[in-house]
Amino acid sequence: WSPDDGKMLNADMVIVSGPTHDLNLGDYFSTGMSTPLPDREQDIIPIRAERDAEMTMMEFKRDLVTDDRFDKDIVPGKMTLIWAFGDNSDNDLHYHQDNRGAIEVTMITPSDEIDPNKPSLLTQPPVSQEPQPDITWDG
């Protein structure tokens, strides 16, 4: 989740890392255009993560409101999600080059009932890795 500008500064992140046979999901945050930091409060509950030659998929649960200062609340209406992927040859976080983008999604429609004390599972269709207008793709 990103501030409305779709940039990394002050973004709340869930990151998939590790070798294909042993993927991990982690709760991260960003303080700028630098390597994201692990959140001390791991507020996500990993369900599954998969990677193949064409895509990486993750599924997790998280409260809509966590009261963690590094987490962004999940609210009704449109939210900006950012995505990026890098060279995963050594499974560390690296600069993603132009492999990044932003998309607006509605995670909760304004008419949905919201109980911040009840965990919720939110599902969205996979984010396309189609080129975005401001991104140059090699290959």
Side-chain angles (χ1 to χ4, degrees):
W1 305 261
S2 172
D4 292 336
D5 65 2
K7 305 291 183 189
M8 283 182 62
L9 179 63
N10 298 320
D12 183 9
M13 303 176 175
V14 177
I15 294 179
V16 177
S17 62
T20 299
H21 64 277
D22 188 25
L23 294 173
N24 298 299
L25 290 176
D27 187 357
Y28 286 75
F29 66 96
S30 177
T31 58
M33 302 286 286
S34 58
T35 303
L37 302 169
D39 194 331
R40 287 187 195 141
E41 301 289 326
Q42 289 291 303
D43 295 306
I44 65 164
I45 300 169
I47 295 174
R48 67 184 174 132
E50 299 174 15
R51 180 185 299 143
D52 64 26
E54 296 183 18
M55 66 183 245
T56 299
M57 190 278 309
M58 68 174 106
E59 186 176 354
F60 60 91
K61 290 168 93 172
R62 197 203 88 169
D63 289 341
L64 300 174
V65 178
T66 66
D67 295 324
D68 176 342
R69 70 183 185 117
F70 296 114
D71 287 347
K72 303 286 184 224
D73 293 346
I74 299 172
V75 297
K78 291 186 177 184
M79 295 183 67
T80 303
L81 299 184
I82 59 174
W83 57 268
F85 60 94
D87 172 19
N88 65 352
S89 59
D90 60 5
N91 299 306
D92 287 331
L93 295 180
H94 294 289
Y95 180 60
H96 48 70
Q97 304 294 329
D98 289 333
N99 301 320
R100 51 125 170 79
I103 185 171
E104 281 190 339
V105 298
T106 300
M107 299 214 298
I108 304 170
T109 59
S111 63
D112 287 342
E113 184 71 28
I114 299 174
D115 180 353
N117 299 312
K118 180 180 174 187
S120 297
L121 175 63
L122 303 173
T123 57
Q124 286 289 321
V127 175
S128 171
Q129 292 184 2
E130 295 293 319
Q132 302 297 314
D134 64 333
I135 297 176
T136 302
W137 291 78
D138 299 326

